[in-house]
Amino acid sequence: MDGLNPRKVLSLLFIIGIAVVFTLQFGPGSTGFGASGPVTAPGSVATVNGKEIPLRDFATAWARQMSFLRAQGSPIPESVARQFGMHNQVLDRLVNTELLAQAAEQRGITPSDEELRKLIHQNTDFHAKEGGFDFARYQQVLRDFYRKTPPEFETELRRQLAAQKMMEVVRANATVSDDEVRARYEKDGNQAKVVFARFLPTMYADKVAAPTPAQLTEWKKTHEKEIKDYFEANRFVYQQPERIRARQVLVKLPPEATAEQKAEALKKAEALKKEIDGGKDFAQVARDASEDPGSKARGGDLGWVERGSWEPVLADAAFALKAGEVTAPVETKFGVHLVKVEEKQAAQDKKLEEVQDEIATTLFKQERAKETAKAEAQKALATVQGGKTLKELFPAEKEQPALLRFETETRPEAVETDSFTAEGEAVPHLGPAPALVKAAFAVSAPQVLGEVFPVGEGFVVAQVVERQKPDTAGFEQKKDALRVQAQQAKQIEVTESFLKALKKGGNVVTNPEAIDSVVGAG
């Protein structure tokens, strides 16, 4: 049985959380820049056993994903999000929900009216200002933000609840035996703790001199492929589209705004522009008056923006400005915008011939720095084998959070790990290091590991400082907690298996063109 690894935990959380998806749908104050309004493109993004997943639902879920990332302080462009496959994750969640809802229907699993009512009443989008569910507010929010009638919304929510109930039935069948619990203990009870120090090329880069012209010429002759590969891998550095760093104030418009509503929004934007022209700080105006919750708290900050990520009318207005200037009010389907250009970067299109000396110099110095790092690691290993400890040789300058430890690391520092098992290939606070893990569990007592381990771009020297093996007394002490862990792991396992079986036995057809119309072509 697989261990409870983070990827599977996230997978289960996505699946079992579907019943509350509606609370994340776009209600008042939940959309960011470019994330509101109906999708008018025809068709659907997928059909699941003949049942369509509307393009509108995918567009809403995709915009929700982007809005969530912005709210977390990660203004990732949609083009980058697509490269990471986020559009597939969004589509998978919609497909999985539909598969589960259909499975529930086939098995007669239906949520009660009381369960539906309770879930609707818990959604704060439908609460009056003084608190509590308000039916008039419910109708208004469904009409203006969810773009659904009450029967449409409640039918969709009922299907989501049925899907969750189906998953609860599946998870209830995930049982673990005593032998499985014992096997988990045998695996998890075999633990080690190490102290390590890493030697990174960056620690020695300033000690490496730039190549002489003769050295550079000779190095380029023997490393043509490396230079070309580096250029290709970093082409985005040398070939960038024009972009601006911008802030915005947004006066929102409903999807089917009337002429009167548009005129009112324009009047409000013109008044805000007058305040800005009069000397009021743009960021403060955005905090006070912008209706884009994705950027409002950050003073309208949108980060770096490429021309193609905006509607042409807004992009043309903003990209025509100099740094420090503010557009006149610009109307798009999302509302009326004021955009301030904070900084501009011109497009770049450098060729390999223009930058090969620069690249060759960088790679030459990296190579020499790496050789120095390896030599220093070997020297440290010899010293530790002679009786010194890594903590004596490389004391930490100050305590840092584990996740930040190497962000400012400028010299080798001794790091003591948490206890870890042989099951994975990673070392706490270090990352993937399969050879080091194997060596650590090949010994039965604390000792220096007798080799330098290549890890990432650097080299690592390590000492095992604790070595624990499973025993009966330990099992009796931990078996209850281990049973819970094993149960969770089995639930994830049966969940994934059930969904795979539904997909294999069903007919899921996706529509890439419809997806591209929302997230852009890859």
Side-chain angles (χ1 to χ4, degrees), residues 67-365:
S67 182
F68 173 78
L69 292 173
R70 283 192 292 272
Q72 302 305 307
S74 302
I76 298 175
E78 292 193 8
S79 58
V80 176
R82 181 187 173 106
Q83 290 175 13
F84 280 97
M86 288 186 184
H87 61 298
N88 289 329
Q89 296 173 17
V90 171
L91 183 61
D92 280 347
R93 293 201 293 272
L94 294 171
V95 168
N96 287 344
T97 301
E98 181 56 38
L99 285 167
L100 290 166
Q102 292 180 15
E105 186 177 12
Q106 292 168 2
R107 292 160 175 79
I109 298 173
T110 306
S112 67
D113 291 343
E114 176 58 25
E115 289 172 314
L116 186 67
R117 186 199 66 80
K118 183 177 179 181
L119 207 51
I120 291 173
H121 282 230
Q122 287 174 344
N123 189 340
T124 56
D125 282 351
F126 308 140
H127 289 189
K129 289 184 179 180
E130 57 273 13
F133 176 78
D134 181 85
F135 185 69
R137 169 75 174 170
Y138 174 61
Q139 292 178 308
Q140 182 257 325
V141 169
L142 290 187
R143 181 185 66 249
D144 295 343
F145 294 94
Y146 286 73
R147 310 298 299 168
K148 297 178 186 294
T149 65
E152 288 173 338
F153 176 75
E154 289 163 15
T155 296
E156 179 182 317
L157 181 56
R158 196 180 293 275
R159 289 183 68 79
Q160 292 171 352
L161 278 169
Q164 186 196 31
K165 283 179 169 291
M166 182 70 255
M167 190 48 57
E168 289 172 353
V169 171
V170 173
R171 294 174 66 225
N173 292 324
T175 58
V176 294
S177 66
D178 292 342
D179 288 343
E180 288 175 305
V181 176
R182 182 76 195 198
R184 174 172 285 273
Y185 175 70
E186 294 292 337
K187 179 181 68 178
D188 293 350
N190 189 21
Q191 298 183 350
K193 182 183 289 188
V194 304
V195 172
F196 68 85
R198 6 186 252 182
F199 300 77
L200 301 174
T202 53
M203 297 173 182
Y204 307 97
D206 59 349
K207 298 180 176 63
V208 177
T212 64
Q215 286 177 316
L216 187 62
T217 299
E218 186 63 29
W219 201 89
K220 286 195 297 184
K221 289 179 183 177
T222 57
H223 295 79
E224 289 183 2
K225 184 178 185 304
E226 289 91 334
I227 294 171
K228 184 177 180 181
D229 289 347
Y230 183 94
F231 177 78
E232 293 297 332
N234 296 277
R235 186 180 288 272
F236 68 94
V237 174
Y238 306 110
Q239 297 177 340
Q240 290 184 352
E242 180 186 14
R243 62 179 190 162
I244 58 174
R245 189 162 61 83
R247 293 179 185 271
Q248 82 152 346
V249 174
L250 175 65
V251 180
K252 290 177 71 173
L253 283 171
E256 298 175 1
T258 64
E260 291 78 8
Q261 288 173 313
K262 291 181 179 181
E264 185 179 345
L266 179 60
K267 183 178 179 180
K268 181 177 179 181
E270 287 172 340
L272 295 172
K273 176 68 159 58
K274 191 173 181 180
E275 290 183 23
I276 294 166
D277 290 342
K280 191 166 182 180
D281 180 58
F282 188 98
Q284 190 57 53
V285 172
R287 291 188 190 95
D288 293 341
S290 179
E291 296 173 2
D292 172 23
S295 65
K296 177 182 176 75
R298 302 193 303 272
D301 186 14
L302 300 173
W304 286 99
V305 180
E306 297 176 5
R307 180 183 288 271
S309 63
W310 280 354
E311 287 193 9
V313 64
L314 183 61
D316 290 345
F319 279 76
L321 300 182
K322 298 176 182 177
E325 293 181 338
V326 179
T327 65
V330 179
E331 182 185 327
T332 73
K333 65 182 179 182
F334 308 114
V336 181
H337 308 255
L338 297 173
V339 174
K340 180 180 180 182
V341 176
E342 304 253 296
E343 190 176 346
K344 298 189 74 171
Q345 284 187 354
Q348 296 185 53
D349 188 13
K350 294 182 179 179
K351 308 302 180 187
L352 176 59
E353 294 73 22
E354 300 176 66
V355 295
Q356 62 178 342
D357 282 1
E358 173 190 329
I359 294 173
T361 299
T362 297
L363 295 178
F364 175 91
K365 294 185 70 174

Side-chain angles (χ1 to χ4, degrees), residues 241-522:
E242 180 186 14
R243 62 179 190 162
I244 58 174
R245 189 162 61 83
R247 293 179 185 271
Q248 82 152 346
V249 174
L250 175 65
V251 180
K252 290 177 71 173
L253 283 171
E256 298 175 1
T258 64
E260 291 78 8
Q261 288 173 313
K262 291 181 179 181
E264 185 179 345
L266 179 60
K267 183 178 179 180
K268 181 177 179 181
E270 287 172 340
L272 295 172
K273 176 68 159 58
K274 191 173 181 180
E275 290 183 23
I276 294 166
D277 290 342
K280 191 166 182 180
D281 180 58
F282 188 98
Q284 190 57 53
V285 172
R287 291 188 190 95
D288 293 341
S290 179
E291 296 173 2
D292 172 23
S295 65
K296 177 182 176 75
R298 302 193 303 272
D301 186 14
L302 300 173
W304 286 99
V305 180
E306 297 176 5
R307 180 183 288 271
S309 63
W310 280 354
E311 287 193 9
V313 64
L314 183 61
D316 290 345
F319 279 76
L321 300 182
K322 298 176 182 177
E325 293 181 338
V326 179
T327 65
V330 179
E331 182 185 327
T332 73
K333 65 182 179 182
F334 308 114
V336 181
H337 308 255
L338 297 173
V339 174
K340 180 180 180 182
V341 176
E342 304 253 296
E343 190 176 346
K344 298 189 74 171
Q345 284 187 354
Q348 296 185 53
D349 188 13
K350 294 182 179 179
K351 308 302 180 187
L352 176 59
E353 294 73 22
E354 300 176 66
V355 295
Q356 62 178 342
D357 282 1
E358 173 190 329
I359 294 173
T361 299
T362 297
L363 295 178
F364 175 91
K365 294 185 70 174
Q366 286 179 355
E367 183 179 84
R368 295 298 171 88
K370 191 167 186 176
E371 291 170 355
T372 303
K374 185 175 182 179
E376 290 297 316
Q378 290 171 332
K379 186 191 303 182
L381 176 60
T383 303
V384 174
Q385 287 175 323
K388 288 278 190 179
T389 68
L390 285 172
K391 288 187 176 181
E392 290 172 332
L393 288 175
F394 306 107
E397 290 183 0
K398 59 182 179 179
E399 282 298 318
Q400 299 183 50
L403 293 177
L404 303 178
R405 190 180 301 279
F406 300 124
E407 290 187 5
T408 57
E409 192 176 23
T410 58
R411 65 173 183 83
E413 293 186 12
V415 177
E416 183 169 328
T417 73
D418 304 321
S419 295
F420 60 99
T421 72
E423 183 64 18
E425 295 187 339
V427 174
H429 313 325
L430 178 62
L436 197 162
V437 172
K438 183 178 180 180
F441 285 93
V443 303
S444 57
Q447 65 181 74
V448 177
L449 299 178
E451 61 181 296
V452 170
F453 300 94
V455 177
E457 292 296 314
F459 302 90
V460 171
V461 176
Q463 295 173 281
V464 175
V465 292
E466 287 184 19
R467 188 69 177 86
Q468 177 183 326
K469 293 188 176 183
D471 56 41
T472 301
F475 174 67
E476 291 300 321
Q477 183 180 357
K478 297 179 179 180
K479 67 179 180 180
D480 291 339
L482 288 169
R483 185 176 296 279
V484 172
Q485 295 171 14
Q487 184 81 13
Q488 291 171 341
K490 179 62 74 72
Q491 287 173 346
I492 292 171
E493 186 178 305
V494 298
T495 292
E496 292 187 340
S497 296
F498 184 71
L499 281 169
K500 285 179 182 177
L502 290 179
K503 289 178 180 177
K504 185 176 180 180
N507 182 27
V508 178
V509 180
T510 60
N511 184 350
E513 291 78 13
I515 295 170
D516 289 345
S517 73
V518 176
V519 305

